[in-house]
């Protein structure tokens, strides 16, 4: 019996590191609160956290300009997610980082036939990253690659995602 | 000559509606402004608009909780983009809309092997939409389909996008 236990222990030592998967869920409740303004309550239930965020459009798009447009939040979400993970993983990888600056450029296009409602498509997203650090160049590269893989927003943009919709019609939820 | 001109005019009338493509560009400049806090200046150059946005993390993730986390902005961006376009296209399609309420649920996962830095992946995004309107059900469905196609964020999530990065290394921009 002792021999067999010892053998199992050896096997465990040789086995690859155990993989852990943790769900990360955000929920948002949005309501119209102006001509184009939207107010959102965002919940992060796992931590009991709650946030208030709003968007609006300028007068050119029929709004009152009381808050940034949705694409400003989207642009910030991508850039800030990478910047957060650079700092989070710098600690984990023991790479000293003094400061981070990022320039993000997001390009979409609007395609309209005659007077029909327009359609939209992404064109390209670029990010210039400056990491202020005395660490060797190879460490900075490794940190950046790790931050990209650990950035929820960037990993989402890199996949084809399906957004599932339900629409309330005649008092019933209908899948679209 | 007159005959030929007349013929050309007829041809133009019979031709499909002309397609117009308009670039939509947002630029963001982010700087670290706390342990995990990031401040972003967002420019919408085509309209000369400028917005300030910030993100932070709670104490659990090494931040000071001074602003919502990047994923709260991301969740709001998706929900608010669809809600904005429902109202914008309602006007265009002459469908009366009194109110819109949306519930968005965003799920990602964090995958960690042993003590290595974790990686992330999207799991699923769902959106429940309530459009308060006296319009026929078919109009509401059509409005929703039009808003999906016209929502920049949703169309971005539905594609595989490449985020291109440049990293400043030894005072030079290096493509990753």
């Amino acid at each position: 019996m002792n021999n067999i236990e010892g053998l199992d222990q050896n096997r465990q030592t040789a086995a690859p590191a155990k993989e852990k998967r943790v769900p990360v869920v955000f929920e948002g409740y949005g309501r119209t609160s102006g001509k184009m303004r939207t107010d959102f309550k965002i919940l992060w239930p796992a931590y009991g956290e709650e946030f208030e965020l709003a968007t609006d459009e300028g007068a050119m798009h029929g709004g009152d300009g009381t808050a940034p447009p949705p694409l400003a939040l989207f642009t910030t979400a991508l850039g800030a997610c990478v910047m957060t993970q650079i700092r989070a993983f710098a600690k984990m990888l023991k790479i000293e980082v003094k400061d981070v600056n990022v320039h993000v450029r997001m390009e979409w296009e609007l395609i309209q036939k005659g007077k029909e409602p327009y359609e939209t498509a992404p064109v390209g997203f670029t990010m210039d990253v400056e990491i202020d650090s005395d660490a060797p160049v190879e460490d900075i590269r490794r940190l950046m690659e790790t931050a990209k893989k650990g950035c929820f927003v960037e990993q989402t943009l890199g996949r084809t995602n399906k957004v599932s919709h339900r629409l309330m019609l005649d008092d019933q939820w209908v899948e679209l």
Side-chain angles (χ1 to χ4, degrees), chain A residues 33-39 54-59 63-69:
Chain A
S33 51
K35 284 184 290 197
M36 282 295 178
R37 185 179 162 104
T38 300
D39 273 80
T55 71
D56 200 349
E57 298 287 335
D64 297 304
T66 61

Side-chain angles (χ1 to χ4, degrees), chain A residues 25 51 118:
Chain A
V25 176
F51 313 97
Y118 61 79

Side-chain angles (χ1 to χ4, degrees), chain A residues 95 131 133-145:
Chain A
I95 297 172
I131 299 175
S133 168
D134 295 326
V137 160
E138 279 321 299
D139 278 358
I140 300 301
R141 276 183 181 272
R142 184 162 58 102
L143 174 58
M144 186 64 209
E145 291 302 331

Side-chain angles (χ1 to χ4, degrees), chain A residues 164-168 173-176:
Chain A
S164 306
H165 300 80
R166 295 194 310 169
L167 191 55
M168 180 65 85
W173 285 116
V174 177
E175 304 270 352
L176 293 187

Side-chain angles (χ1 to χ4, degrees), chain A residues 82-94 143 147:
Chain A
V82 171
M83 290 176 73
T84 302
Q85 298 306 52
I86 287 171
R87 283 172 283 176
F89 291 125
K91 282 190 224 168
M92 238 185 254
L93 297 172
K94 298 186 173 41
L143 174 58

Side-chain angles (χ1 to χ4, degrees), chain A residues 98-112:
Chain A
K98 292 179 235 174
D99 207 359
V100 185
N101 282 277
V102 161
H103 171 212
V104 195
R105 186 180 184 280
M106 319 280 281
E107 183 171 348
W108 292 271
E109 66 179 357
L110 175 163
I111 306 128
Q112 189 171 29

